């Protein structure tokens, strides 16, 4: 087994001299003992078990399991506590921002940012409820010393975040198939029950609480996340439905056609335009309070990277606190001075569309061809207010594990954290004690699955 260091970011698994960091020694020792042949067999078995689960739900055809890197990330109790406190603070501020936006009292985000957001429709009334965001995914990177890192939030994902379902499935595989000895010896915080707690948080949007009828609304078998939708519905005791399965009845209530059950809460995992187009009257049903759509219209504005810039100021203004986890320095191309700087240093920066997601409409200048940089520049020049820019961050790296003719090859790869937080009521935030770490293709910064990244389990150690 050998480790090849190719990137400038600090590696979380190995020290600069190539020896494992103390918390990773049990994992590396087990990997050495397993060797390349058994490692390949364990990875094959884990994937086959995921496929069996897919088939058990009746999801046939193509492989809908997510690409996975099987060496887990490990987080110390002290570092997790820093993450937990900072992200709890951040979600509290985001919910306060949306409550004030609904009341017409918001004063942090400039009106122009809201007016130009493709994720905000000024003609649609706002009805977010007492807890506007009940589930959110924070994408976080670690910089500096891996033993005592500084965390930075890269973006928020309040609309249909991918996380809990694949997180629990990878945990089952790493703990039972891939690294059973290390999992037992290290003392890892469990993910048991986190999907049920998600169901509790979502049903709390209805006055009926845990008695509310919850529907997971999916795009159907063609959706790449259809397997996840089955997992959510089964774990939460919810109805799994497509938009065509729902109708607003004569009394203005949302009904599941085949069962005749009235729906109290909609957990949509389908594009908003399709949902409202295929279920006429749903928007009015939500605005009148007869159903609660979890990702309420306009609440997704928090995913706008132009709004994200202002979250630290929301914390200061609305909570009276300093941010425990900050953003990296970010430039708005709606600001003339920022625009001039970005255009002069275009090929050196990360440029992101405000409304892009899943790694789409993102350009990492030094990793792109001259032709792609110039093509992206023309897009930005046509509509600069739609973009933000950030410096390249050499955040910490983790591992991808491969086999070759010489055995096991470990390579460093940029990694982020996707951390899920739940908010069942206005006073409570629960950060799920794990993360769907994502690792980039070797040599790349983009960790999104659609950009060639892979998912990875994250073990938070017991305190």
């Amino acid at each position: 087994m050998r480790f090849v260091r190719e990137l400038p970011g600090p590696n979380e698994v190995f020290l600069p001299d190539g020896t494992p960091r103390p918390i990773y020694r049990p994992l590396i020792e087990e990997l050495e003992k397993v060797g390349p042949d058994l490692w390949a067999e364990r990875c094959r078995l884990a994937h086959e078990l995921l496929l069996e689960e897919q088939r058990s739900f009746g999801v046939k055809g193509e492989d809908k399991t997510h690409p996975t890197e099987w060496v887990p990330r490990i987080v110390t109790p002290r570092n997790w506590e820093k993450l937990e406190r900072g992200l709890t603070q951040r979600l509290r501020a985001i919910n306060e921002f949306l409550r004030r936006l609904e009341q017409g009292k918001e004063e942090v985000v400039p009106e122009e940012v809201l007016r130009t957001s493709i994720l905000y429709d000024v003609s649609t009334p706002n009805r977010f409820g007492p807890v506007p965001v009940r589930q959110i995914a924070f994408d976080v990177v670690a910089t500096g010393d891996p033993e005592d890192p500084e965390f930075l939030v890269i973006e928020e994902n309040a609309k249909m975040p991918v996380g809990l379902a694949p997180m629990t499935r990878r945990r089952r595989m790493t703990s039972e198939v891939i690294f059973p000895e290390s999992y037992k010896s290290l003392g890892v915080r469990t993910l048991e029950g986190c999907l049920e707690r998600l169901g509790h948080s979502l049903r709390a949007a209805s006055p009926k609480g845990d008695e509310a009828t919850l529907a997971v609304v999916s795009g159907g078998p063609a959706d790449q996340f259809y397997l996840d939708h089955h997992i959510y519905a089964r774990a939460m005791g919810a109805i799994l439905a497509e938009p065509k399965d729902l109708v607003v009845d004569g009394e203005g209530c949302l009904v599941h056609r085949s069962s005749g059950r009235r729906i109290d809460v909609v957990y949509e995992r389908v594009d908003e335009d399709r949902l409202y187009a295929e279920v006429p009257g749903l928007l009015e049903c939500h605005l009148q309070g007869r159903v609660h759509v979890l990702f309420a219209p306009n609440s997704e504005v928090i995913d706008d990277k132009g709004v994200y810039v202002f979250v630290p100021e929301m914390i200061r203004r609305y909570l009276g606190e300093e941010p425990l986890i900050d953003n990296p320095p970010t430039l708005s191309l709606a600001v003339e001075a920022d625009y001039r700087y970005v255009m002069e240093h275009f090929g050196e920066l990360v440029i992101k569309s405000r409304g892009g997601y899943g790694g789409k409409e993102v350009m990492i200048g030094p990793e792109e061809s001259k032709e792609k940089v110039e093509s992206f520049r023309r897009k930005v020049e046509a509509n600069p207010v739609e973009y933000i820019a950030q410096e390249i961050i050499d955040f910490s790296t983790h591992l991808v594990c491969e086999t070759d003719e010489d055995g096991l090859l470990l390579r460093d790869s940029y990694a982020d954290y996707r951390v899920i937080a739940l908010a069942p009521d206005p006073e409570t935030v629960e950060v799920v004690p794990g993360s769907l770490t994502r690792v980039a293709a070797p040599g790349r910064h983009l960790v999104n699955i659609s950009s060639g990244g892979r998912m990875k389990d994250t073990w938070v150690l017991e305190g």
Side-chain angles (χ1 to χ4, degrees):
M1 184 176 73
R2 65 200 190 281
F3 169 57
V4 177
R5 190 188 304 271
E6 301 172 316
L7 302 171
N11 187 259
E12 296 182 11
V13 182
F14 289 97
L15 292 160
D17 65 3
T19 59
R21 296 183 186 276
I23 62 169
Y24 277 96
R25 282 178 190 152
L27 207 68
I28 297 301
E29 288 170 1
E30 185 171 0
L31 187 56
E32 285 181 318
K33 185 168 68 173
V34 165
D37 292 340
L38 185 53
W39 172 256
E41 175 60 22
R42 287 186 178 184
C43 293
R44 186 203 63 76
L45 175 58
H47 184 240
E48 182 56 34
L49 289 171
L50 292 175
L51 279 174
E52 282 183 16
E53 181 177 51
Q54 173 181 319
R55 291 189 286 264
S56 75
F57 282 113
V59 182
K60 299 180 170 37
E62 65 180 294
D63 183 349
K64 289 190 178 293
T65 66
H66 304 297
T68 303
E69 168 52 51
W70 289 110
V71 178
R73 193 180 210 169
I74 300 175
V75 186
T76 65
R78 183 181 69 168
N79 286 340
W80 185 256
E81 194 265 343
K82 286 164 58 176
L83 261 177
E84 196 170 39
R85 287 176 57 234
L87 299 182
T88 295
Q89 179 194 57
R90 204 165 172 106
L91 181 51
R92 287 171 53 222
I94 286 169
N95 273 330
E96 183 59 26
F97 158 71
L98 290 172
R99 279 190 288 266
R100 288 172 179 255
L101 188 60
E102 182 177 349
Q103 297 163 7
K105 298 178 180 178
E106 207 293 306
E107 55 191 30
V108 170
V109 178
E111 183 179 345
E112 182 188 9
V113 172
L114 292 174
R115 183 172 47 79
T116 58
S117 175
I118 64 172
L119 300 178
Y120 192 80
D121 181 0
V122 294
S123 67
T124 300
N126 294 327
R127 178 184 173 266
F128 303 141
V131 184
V133 176
R134 293 178 176 273
Q135 178 198 16
I136 193 169
F138 293 103
D139 292 344
V140 183
V141 296
T143 63
D145 181 4
E147 311 282 336
D148 185 21
E150 177 187 3
F151 295 111
L152 297 170
V153 174
I154 299 300
E155 62 184 62
E156 279 91 18
N157 291 270
K159 181 68 181 280
M160 297 196 300
V162 177
L164 275 188
M167 192 189 303
T168 59
R169 270 48 211 167
R170 270 124 207 91
R171 173 59 55 84
R172 178 186 160 209
M173 296 304 134
T174 58
S175 62
E176 297 178 10
V177 177
I178 305 291
F179 286 105
E181 295 176 17
S182 300
Y183 185 81
K184 289 176 184 174
S185 67
L186 282 168
V188 182
R189 290 182 63 177
T190 183
L191 295 178
E192 195 70 33
C194 67
L195 287 169
E196 290 78 7
R197 292 197 295 279
L198 170 63
H200 168 74
S201 295
L202 303 186
R203 283 186 171 90
S206 166
K208 298 179 182 177
D210 286 338
E211 300 304 312
T213 299
L214 173 66
V216 176
V217 182
S218 169
D223 193 302
Q224 63 176 321
F225 299 113
Y226 192 49
L227 174 60
D228 292 4
H229 305 162
H230 277 270
I231 292 168
Y232 284 125
R234 183 177 70 176
M236 299 189 299
I239 293 172
L240 179 63
E242 296 177 44
K244 63 182 176 61
D245 301 324
L246 304 174
V247 65
V248 175
D249 68 12
E251 297 179 32
C253 295
L254 186 66
V255 175
H256 182 231
R257 290 180 189 269
S258 60
S259 70
R261 295 174 66 186
R262 284 189 173 177
I263 307 299
D264 300 304
V265 180
V266 172
Y267 182 47
E268 70 266 41
R269 310 298 302 187
V270 65
D271 182 78
E272 184 178 79
D273 292 340
R274 176 180 170 185
L275 178 65
Y276 291 111
E278 294 188 17
V279 189
L282 175 58
L283 178 59
E284 292 75 13
C285 186
H286 166 78
L287 293 174
Q288 293 165 8
R290 292 189 175 91
V291 71
H292 189 88
V293 180
L294 262 305
F295 305 120
N298 286 342
S299 65
E300 64 195 45
V301 73
I302 200 62
D303 291 12
D304 186 323
K305 296 172 185 65
V307 172
Y308 146 90
V309 172
F310 295 93
V311 175
E313 184 57 28
M314 294 176 197
I315 293 170
R316 296 185 184 97
R317 186 82 61 89
Y318 295 143
L319 304 185
E321 302 168 4
E322 281 300 306
L324 299 173
I325 298 180
D326 213 336
N327 300 348
T330 304
L331 301 172
S332 170
L333 275 70
V335 177
E336 181 60 32
D338 289 356
Y339 174 77
R340 288 198 302 269
Y341 177 87
V342 169
M343 300 316 287
E344 289 169 3
H345 299 83
F346 200 82
E348 306 164 21
L349 300 169
V350 179
I351 316 292
K352 301 178 180 180
S353 166
R354 287 169 48 186
Y357 63 93
K360 299 173 184 175
E361 290 297 308
V362 175
M363 185 208 73
I364 300 179
E367 295 179 2
E368 302 293 353
S369 67
K370 184 178 179 181
E371 292 75 19
K372 284 191 176 180
V373 170
E374 287 307 309
S375 174
F376 209 88
R377 177 192 285 271
R378 289 193 291 273
K379 284 186 181 181
V380 172
E381 288 174 334
N383 187 20
V385 73
E386 173 54 23
Y387 294 88
I388 64 167
Q390 296 170 329
E391 302 283 344
I392 296 279
I393 303 172
D394 274 323
F395 50 96
S396 64
T397 67
H398 205 265
L399 296 180
V400 293
C401 182
E402 304 165 351
T403 57
D404 61 15
E405 64 274 9
D406 296 320
L408 289 168
L409 172 62
L410 305 178
R411 302 170 65 190
D412 54 355
S413 174
Y414 286 111
D416 79 349
Y417 294 89
R418 168 156 285 193
V419 185
I420 304 292
L422 309 175
D425 61 66
E427 308 303 321
T428 306
V429 174
E430 177 188 355
V431 178
V432 177
S435 162
L436 190 67
T437 285
R438 300 176 300 174
V439 288
R444 298 277 292 170
H445 277 78
L446 272 179
V447 299
N448 307 80
I449 305 306
S450 56
S451 303
R454 298 181 182 181
M455 297 180 175
K456 182 187 283 282
D457 190 13
T458 305
W459 293 358
V460 177
L461 302 188
E462 296 279 3

